[in-house]
Amino acid sequence: MTTNNNVLPSSAIVEVASPFQQIHFLLLARGPKYVPKCQSYFRFRTIEDIIIREYNRMSTIIMKYLTDNCVSASDERAKSFFISLKNLLTNLYITKLSPKLFHYSRQEYMLTKDIQRKLYLTRQQIILRRTDKSKVFHLGSYDDYEQKASNYMIKTCAYEEVIDGKCPLSDNLSSVMDLLDKLLKRKAINVKQRSTMIPNRNKVELGHLYFLPKPHK
């Protein structure tokens, strides 16, 4: 295992013995927001599938904003725009990469896969994650994160560990619905208020306890 001796302003914070080499740290130093070039070129999906997926994703978002601003999708300008968007995506994805860009992109792709492989070989003993309010990565030990979580749960009594594999979310939702029905029956709330307070089953989720290192403090 190696350590990172050449520290850059955006270098990953390393608090555990790491299997990475300098070339891996240089890639990580670009930060969580860095988008590797042309990674879709090396995916197993066909270019046609990628174009359709990207077009559907982008057009759905744009369509929402058009609707919010009272613009119909059947408007001629909107139709022309979506045709241009589809053509632009098609041209971007089918244009052949230059030899230099292809080599550079493939190198980054292989480095990314190598980082994933090295982390996998540690049997989850090393965790790579972004930091809070920062533009750098953090490398820490699994045991350290587990200890922090355990200490916080004991201190606050705000969380409990799901150990039987059964998600308590359904029971929590039922309890909320029962409470709202009782309040409505007692006329403590009206029908409109009950409708407003009913949880959306498609969006509700359990609170998760996790830690993001704070290098700025």
Side-chain angles (χ1 to χ4, degrees), residues 5-57:
N5 296 320
N6 298 325
V7 179
L8 301 173
S10 56
S11 292
I13 299 173
V14 183
E15 296 184 334
V16 66
S18 164
F20 298 144
Q21 299 173 353
Q22 185 64 23
I23 192 171
H24 300 109
F25 283 113
L26 289 175
L27 180 62
L28 293 176
R30 297 184 178 183
K33 293 185 178 181
Y34 174 70
V35 179
K37 297 178 176 61
C38 307
Q39 293 300 291
S40 60
Y41 195 87
F42 303 104
R43 295 176 183 172
F44 293 105
R45 296 189 184 95
T46 65
I47 294 297
E48 290 76 14
D49 289 340
I50 295 175
I51 293 173
I52 292 174
R53 186 196 62 183
E54 287 298 306
Y55 174 77
N56 290 339
R57 181 184 66 83

Side-chain angles (χ1 to χ4, degrees), residues 55 62 66 76-86:
Y55 174 77
I62 296 170
L66 290 177
E76 289 301 321
R77 292 171 298 176
K79 289 182 179 180
S80 177
F81 171 80
F82 285 115
I83 292 174
S84 298
L85 176 62
K86 183 68 174 293

Side-chain angles (χ1 to χ4, degrees), residues 47-142:
I47 294 297
E48 290 76 14
D49 289 340
I50 295 175
I51 293 173
I52 292 174
R53 186 196 62 183
E54 287 298 306
Y55 174 77
N56 290 339
R57 181 184 66 83
M58 296 175 67
S59 61
T60 299
I61 296 173
I62 296 170
M63 191 77 71
K64 178 181 181 302
Y65 283 105
L66 290 177
T67 303
D68 291 344
N69 289 276
C70 301
V71 178
S72 173
S74 60
D75 184 275
E76 289 301 321
R77 292 171 298 176
K79 289 182 179 180
S80 177
F81 171 80
F82 285 115
I83 292 174
S84 298
L85 176 62
K86 183 68 174 293
N87 291 337
L88 176 62
L89 288 172
T90 301
N91 290 333
L92 288 173
Y93 276 104
I94 66 174
T95 300
K96 188 176 181 180
L97 299 179
S98 67
K100 182 178 180 180
L101 182 57
F102 176 83
H103 174 76
Y104 189 77
S105 301
R106 183 167 182 79
Q107 185 181 43
E108 285 195 340
Y109 173 78
M110 297 304 295
L111 277 175
T112 302
K113 299 300 290 185
D114 197 37
I115 289 174
Q116 293 175 338
R117 182 183 64 83
K118 289 180 180 296
L119 287 174
Y120 176 78
L121 291 177
T122 67
R123 301 184 184 277
Q124 297 183 338
Q125 292 305 305
I126 296 178
I127 296 178
L128 173 66
R129 61 176 46 170
R130 64 183 179 86
T131 51
D132 184 39
K133 298 180 182 179
S134 181
K135 298 180 180 180
V136 300
F137 282 110
H138 176 268
L139 273 171
S141 72
Y142 171 84

Side-chain angles (χ1 to χ4, degrees), residues 197-210:
M197 290 186 283
I198 290 178
N200 187 330
R201 292 181 177 272
N202 295 324
K203 295 183 178 180
V204 69
E205 62 180 23
L206 289 175
H208 293 77
L209 175 61
Y210 60 93

